[in-house]
Amino acid sequence: MTGMRKGSQDFRGMAGQRSFNSPIEVVANNRYAICLAAISLLTLVLRLYHLGLDSLWLDESFSIVLSQNSLTGIIALASEDVHPPLYYLLLHFFLSLPGQIELVARMPSVIFGVLAIFPLYFLAKDLFGKNVGIVASLLYAVSFAGITYSQEARMYTMMVFLGAIQMYYFYRSIKRDQLADWAVFAISSVLIVYTHYYGFLLTGTLALYGLAISFRTKSKDALNTAAFRHLLIIMALIFLAFLPQLPVAYHQSQSSMVASQLQTDNLMFFPKLAYFLTACGIKNPRTILTVAFTAAYMALSAAGIVLAWRKKSRELSYLLTILIIASMATLLLSNFTRFCGFRYILFLIVPYLALVSNGIVSLAEHAGNARYRVMTLAGMIALILLAVAFSITPLYSGTNVDIRGAMQYVKDHSSSGDKVVVFNSDSISPGLYAGLLGIQDMVEKNSSYDDIISDDSGIVWAIVSDIRDNPGNEDVLPLLNEHMQLRATVSRASVYYRPT
């Protein structure tokens, strides 16, 4: 009994000492986790909003048409493309899901666009602290480039996600030399080069950085012998894993079906790259606001570099190596290959935003006491969010040519035996939408305006895209207006009809 009584007293004593944190204390103790969760939700909302508004354009339609094949068919057809097959293989499984084709096809990009938040946060946190990690995550959540490519059925946000994992786990690997870190780095490196060949730029840059610091024997950054040996083994394994794709990559490099050459001179390359990573000039006009926005980001990144250098931050060299070598390699490639573009190095948004965020937080830390530091940080973030709120609307305005809507109009108003010709720079989307709507037999392929004005052509419908999308239609429009009736205009696509 005495023992039981004593045990009961001990239990009551323990219960009496138990404390419960107030909601304010819970939030204070978990503020970074709560902030990251809120930012993740914001990231998801901004990428889902109006996700299916724009019709599929050429590259997206190509992704879908290729991914609708069997797995072996995708691999075979991708060998005739200019990209590796991994993204197409993944998209294949998403296309089996029910729902609007635009939403389903773009969902992988949304998922990777949201997941990229986490390795970006942990990388910036490990480099410069939790505050910088949170600010970097927020900047990515509202970034033009991040939203734009998360709403496109292409592989670019997948590459950003894998690139962020690479950067984070390579940094962990050279600092800790743990097998698990090396394994994640190796896997992400293999996946990124099977997603896009420009992943080799990042993988190679990281390898060069590791080799460089391995020779700094008197530096705290120097790799020890075991870590250096592990780096060499990992790079050899990555090369061996890519070896089966090497002949295919060589064949693809000889193809004429490549992207347009990056149109920029050497002096303007870096400002244009900064503009792309900040304001993403794909869908947004070069307004004074976006140019000022880019200049502000460049100034903040410069501040982040200078202040980190003054603190003798060893982490600064890591981010600068990635930014400088990968961008310089892209500039060099742009001088002799057409397979080049800023979107191919979208993964540079990770170190870029980390530097911008470090500039924001570092400037706030120089504002005096804690109260002024918080006010300065909140003020800068508020200004950025305000600029984004005014500038982000073009992303959600449905600015692409609405081939889907034009095709739907024809289906709703056509009769049996009608024919359709489409004048559009995109040669794949009209056929894709015609197939989805069940009017593929109506579409005349490789037709010209001569077919329309010919008496025996039988073609009674014509869809013509805006001359901003296809300048060649400037010659077609006068003939259409002369011989046909304009029946509808659907977001930069005009539908003409000729009564029989």
Side-chain angles (χ1 to χ4, degrees), residues 60-72:
E60 291 182 295
S61 301
F62 179 83
S63 296
I64 294 171
V65 171
L66 194 153
S67 300
Q68 286 175 333
N69 292 274
S70 65
L71 297 182
T72 54

Side-chain angles (χ1 to χ4, degrees), residues 248-264:
V248 178
Y250 175 77
H251 170 72
Q252 291 173 320
S253 68
Q254 307 302 308
S255 172
S256 60
M257 190 178 70
V258 294
S260 299
Q261 186 176 1
L262 191 62
Q263 298 296 326
T264 184

Side-chain angles (χ1 to χ4, degrees), residues 25-91:
E25 290 174 325
V26 171
V27 171
N29 293 334
N30 300 277
R31 59 187 182 277
Y32 290 105
I34 294 172
C35 285
L36 187 60
I39 291 171
S40 302
L41 180 60
L42 175 65
T43 306
L44 178 63
V45 169
L46 291 177
R47 282 148 181 77
L48 287 178
Y49 181 64
H50 278 188
L51 181 62
L53 180 63
D54 274 324
S55 294
L56 300 165
W57 70 290
L58 176 62
D59 285 6
E60 291 182 295
S61 301
F62 179 83
S63 296
I64 294 171
V65 171
L66 194 153
S67 300
Q68 286 175 333
N69 292 274
S70 65
L71 297 182
T72 54
I74 291 171
I75 294 174
L77 291 171
S79 66
E80 302 301 323
D81 184 32
V82 294
H83 298 302
L86 183 58
Y87 169 78
Y88 302 124
L89 293 170
L90 177 66
L91 183 60

Side-chain angles (χ1 to χ4, degrees), residues 310-355:
R310 288 180 61 184
K311 292 180 181 179
K312 298 182 179 179
S313 172
R314 298 189 300 270
E315 291 77 10
L316 176 63
S317 63
Y318 182 60
L319 295 183
L320 288 181
T321 299
I322 296 172
L323 276 170
I324 293 173
I325 293 183
S327 56
M328 288 295 292
T330 304
L331 176 59
L332 181 63
L333 287 170
S334 71
N335 290 323
F336 64 87
T337 178
R338 295 176 63 230
F339 184 58
C340 198
F342 285 135
R343 62 188 182 277
Y344 298 165
I345 52 174
L346 185 60
F347 54 78
L348 290 183
I349 198 172
V350 173
Y352 179 62
L353 291 183
L355 287 173

Side-chain angles (χ1 to χ4, degrees), residues 13 78 84 125 135 141 151 196 209 225-226 228 242 260-261 266 283 289 325 331 338 358 373 378 402 420 466 481 486:
K125 176 184 75 69
V135 174
Q151 294 194 327
H196 199 287
Y209 179 82
T225 303
F228 177 66
F242 187 75
S260 299
Q261 186 176 1
N266 294 350
K283 293 185 178 181
L289 180 59
I325 293 183
L331 176 59
R338 295 176 63 230
N358 186 54
R373 286 198 295 268
D402 190 4
V420 183
D466 193 293
N481 288 319
L486 177 62

Side-chain angles (χ1 to χ4, degrees), residues 33-352:
I34 294 172
C35 285
L36 187 60
I39 291 171
S40 302
L41 180 60
L42 175 65
T43 306
L44 178 63
V45 169
L46 291 177
R47 282 148 181 77
L48 287 178
Y49 181 64
H50 278 188
L51 181 62
L53 180 63
D54 274 324
S55 294
L56 300 165
W57 70 290
L58 176 62
D59 285 6
E60 291 182 295
S61 301
F62 179 83
S63 296
I64 294 171
V65 171
L66 194 153
S67 300
Q68 286 175 333
N69 292 274
S70 65
L71 297 182
T72 54
I74 291 171
I75 294 174
L77 291 171
S79 66
E80 302 301 323
D81 184 32
V82 294
H83 298 302
L86 183 58
Y87 169 78
Y88 302 124
L89 293 170
L90 177 66
L91 183 60
H92 170 83
F93 296 100
F94 276 84
L95 293 179
S96 62
L97 299 175
Q100 182 183 332
I101 186 66
E102 293 86 358
L103 296 175
V104 171
R106 291 166 180 162
M107 195 54 64
S109 298
V110 171
I111 293 172
F112 287 118
V114 175
L115 290 178
I117 283 290
F118 300 99
L120 169 59
Y121 166 76
F122 286 110
L123 175 64
K125 176 184 75 69
D126 283 7
L127 292 173
F128 302 116
K130 291 182 179 179
N131 289 335
V132 176
I134 288 295
V135 174
S137 301
L138 179 60
L139 296 187
Y140 179 75
V142 300
S143 69
F144 291 85
I147 298 171
T148 297
Y149 287 102
S150 292
Q151 294 194 327
E152 184 173 290
R154 297 294 285 170
M155 69 286 294
Y156 303 114
T157 57
M158 183 176 177
M159 185 169 58
V160 171
F161 169 67
L162 293 171
I165 291 180
Q166 265 190 292
M167 295 177 222
Y168 175 55
Y169 277 95
F170 183 79
Y171 179 76
R172 284 170 60 96
S173 298
I174 62 177
K175 292 296 181 184
R176 307 191 324 161
D177 192 28
Q178 296 292 317
L179 178 61
D181 295 333
W182 284 116
V184 176
F185 167 69
I187 293 170
S188 60
S189 298
V190 172
L191 293 178
I192 197 172
V193 295
Y194 272 98
T195 301
H196 199 287
Y197 290 129
Y198 271 63
F200 267 123
L201 289 185
L202 179 56
T203 305
T205 298
L206 296 177
L208 288 174
Y209 179 82
L211 292 174
I213 65 173
S214 68
F215 293 105
R216 297 164 62 178
T217 55
K218 296 182 180 180
S219 171
K220 294 180 180 180
D221 289 335
L223 290 178
N224 58 45
T225 303
F228 177 66
R229 184 170 61 250
H230 293 157
L231 172 61
L232 294 180
I233 292 172
I234 291 299
M235 298 312 299
L237 290 175
I238 294 171
F239 177 76
L240 289 175
F242 187 75
L243 201 56
Q245 185 70 13
L246 203 56
V248 178
Y250 175 77
H251 170 72
Q252 291 173 320
S253 68
Q254 307 302 308
S255 172
S256 60
M257 190 178 70
V258 294
S260 299
Q261 186 176 1
L262 191 62
Q263 298 296 326
T264 184
D265 56 73
N266 294 350
L267 294 177
M268 290 300 297
F269 178 84
F270 289 101
K272 287 185 177 180
L273 175 60
Y275 178 80
F276 175 79
L277 295 176
T278 306
C280 192
I282 302 298
K283 293 185 178 181
N284 299 283
R286 297 193 177 203
T287 62
I288 295 177
L289 180 59
T290 55
V291 172
F293 202 35
T294 301
Y297 266 48
M298 292 178 67
L300 288 169
S301 65
I305 293 171
V306 171
L307 294 172
W309 177 76
R310 288 180 61 184
K311 292 180 181 179
K312 298 182 179 179
S313 172
R314 298 189 300 270
E315 291 77 10
L316 176 63
S317 63
Y318 182 60
L319 295 183
L320 288 181
T321 299
I322 296 172
L323 276 170
I324 293 173
I325 293 183
S327 56
M328 288 295 292
T330 304
L331 176 59
L332 181 63
L333 287 170
S334 71
N335 290 323
F336 64 87
T337 178
R338 295 176 63 230
F339 184 58
C340 198
F342 285 135
R343 62 188 182 277
Y344 298 165
I345 52 174
L346 185 60
F347 54 78
L348 290 183
I349 198 172
V350 173
Y352 179 62

